[in-house]
Amino acid sequence: MHVVKTVVIIPALNPLNSIIDYVNTLKEINIDKIIIINDGSDEKYEPVFKELQNIEWCTVLNHGENLGKGRALKTGFSYVLNHHKNVDSIITAGAHGQHQIEDVAQIIRHAELFSDGIILGVRNFNTKDMPLISTIGNRAASVLFELFFHRRLLDTQTSLRCIPKQVLPWLIRVNGEDFSFDTNMLVEAIKRKIPIYEIPIGQARIKKNSIMFYDEITNAHKLIQQMITTYTKSKKQHE
């Protein structure tokens, strides 16, 4: 039986110390390698990245300045293509603890079954801890995505995804250096008829006064505006 070889990519901007325990725990669920992209974090976070680099199964890649989440992911994808040719799947995850280890394990369990497409970890927004405006924003983005791109997806902004290695060569050329890359990835996959699978995971986690904004859009207005911008650019490319 083929064992799926998996790499986890985590773009990180000013991560908390808790990322160290998170990375160590990830290794316990059959992860082959963890790649952290330091996307121009402040100097005071250097000790965190040094400790991560000292972990045997962890690689830290550095951006001299903050280039955006999309660019950080592309840096990670390029590294996988050049240095991990035997990998089957790439998991992308957030740096600030919003994805429980069980969430990641749930996606990995489906990696072999759905190896021909992109797997999205769909968050549960129906919780008392989730601000109403964030729930409304996510639903509005889902409706707009279906209207614009004729495919219903429940969580277009989730950063917990499983991506088959064979799509990386075109994925690193997809437009978007920031959050727009998350949506553009899905739009391009639909154009290329790449299957997109949705797997329910735990509840969405957004903490007050958190720096988690780097991992996922939480502002409803920005979420909707980004969806409209993606559609407009996509339409212009086909005119």
Side-chain angles (χ1 to χ4, degrees):
M1 180 179 177
H2 175 66
V3 177
V4 176
K5 298 182 74 66
T6 305
V7 166
V8 172
I9 293 178
I10 304 176
L13 176 66
N14 301 337
L16 302 175
N17 286 330
S18 57
I19 192 176
I20 297 168
D21 288 336
Y22 186 69
V23 164
N24 280 315
T25 308
L26 274 176
K27 181 61 178 174
E28 298 174 6
I29 57 170
N30 199 29
I31 299 295
D32 292 274
K33 191 77 175 180
I34 298 166
I35 301 169
I36 312 285
I37 296 87
N38 172 11
D39 189 26
S41 297
D42 296 339
E43 286 187 14
K44 68 179 181 179
Y45 295 92
E46 190 61 30
V48 175
F49 289 106
K50 283 186 177 179
E51 188 159 349
L52 288 169
Q53 186 62 71
N54 287 332
I55 298 174
E56 181 181 357
W57 55 84
C58 185
T59 295
V60 176
L61 306 177
N62 295 289
H63 287 171
E65 58 182 338
N66 179 225
L67 300 179
K69 178 190 174 187
R71 174 47 56 186
L73 287 172
K74 292 174 190 176
T75 295
F77 294 155
S78 295
Y79 186 86
V80 170
L81 281 174
N82 291 325
H83 299 279
H84 294 284
K85 300 185 184 302
N86 294 326
V87 163
D88 299 300
S89 300
I90 298 89
I91 302 280
T92 64
H96 297 110
Q98 68 273 48
H99 300 129
Q100 298 284 345
I101 297 298
E102 178 53 34
D103 294 344
V104 180
Q106 172 85 331
I107 298 300
I108 291 175
R109 284 195 289 269
H110 290 83
E112 184 173 5
L113 181 62
F114 300 134
S115 61
D116 61 333
I118 296 172
I119 303 172
L120 305 181
V122 177
R123 299 165 291 175
N124 175 16
F125 282 84
N126 298 319
T127 69
K128 62 180 181 179
D129 297 327
M130 180 58 51
L132 179 61
I133 191 66
S134 296
T135 301
I136 293 173
N138 182 72
R139 289 176 178 171
S142 180
V143 170
L144 285 176
F145 193 92
E146 183 176 9
L147 178 66
F148 292 156
F149 307 111
H150 313 295
R151 172 66 192 272
R152 185 170 185 263
L153 295 175
L154 297 175
D155 190 357
T156 62
Q157 295 304 308
T158 178
S159 60
L160 181 57
R161 306 180 179 199
C162 181
I163 299 165
K165 193 187 74 172
Q166 62 263 28
V167 309
L168 294 186
W170 62 257
L171 191 56
I172 60 176
R173 299 195 302 271
V174 170
N175 291 331
E177 305 295 284
D178 53 15
F179 292 108
S180 60
F181 181 69
D182 286 336
T183 304
N184 294 348
M185 174 195 304
L186 302 178
V187 173
E188 186 64 24
I190 291 170
K191 290 178 183 176
R192 292 173 176 267
K193 296 181 170 28
I194 303 295
I196 300 175
Y197 303 100
E198 299 180 281
I199 303 299
I201 57 172
Q203 67 185 44
R205 298 172 180 87
I206 299 177
K207 302 173 184 176
K208 293 181 179 179
N209 303 319
S210 171
I211 52 176
M212 204 181 292
F213 68 87
Y214 179 74
D215 299 301
E216 291 154 355
I217 294 179
T218 60
N219 182 287
H221 178 265
K222 286 184 179 179
L223 186 57
I224 294 169
Q225 184 59 51
Q226 184 232 293
M227 194 69 64
I228 294 171
T229 300
T230 297
Y231 171 70
T232 302
K233 289 182 178 180
S234 177
K235 190 174 182 181
K236 286 182 178 178
Q237 291 174 356
H238 289 83
E239 288 180 350

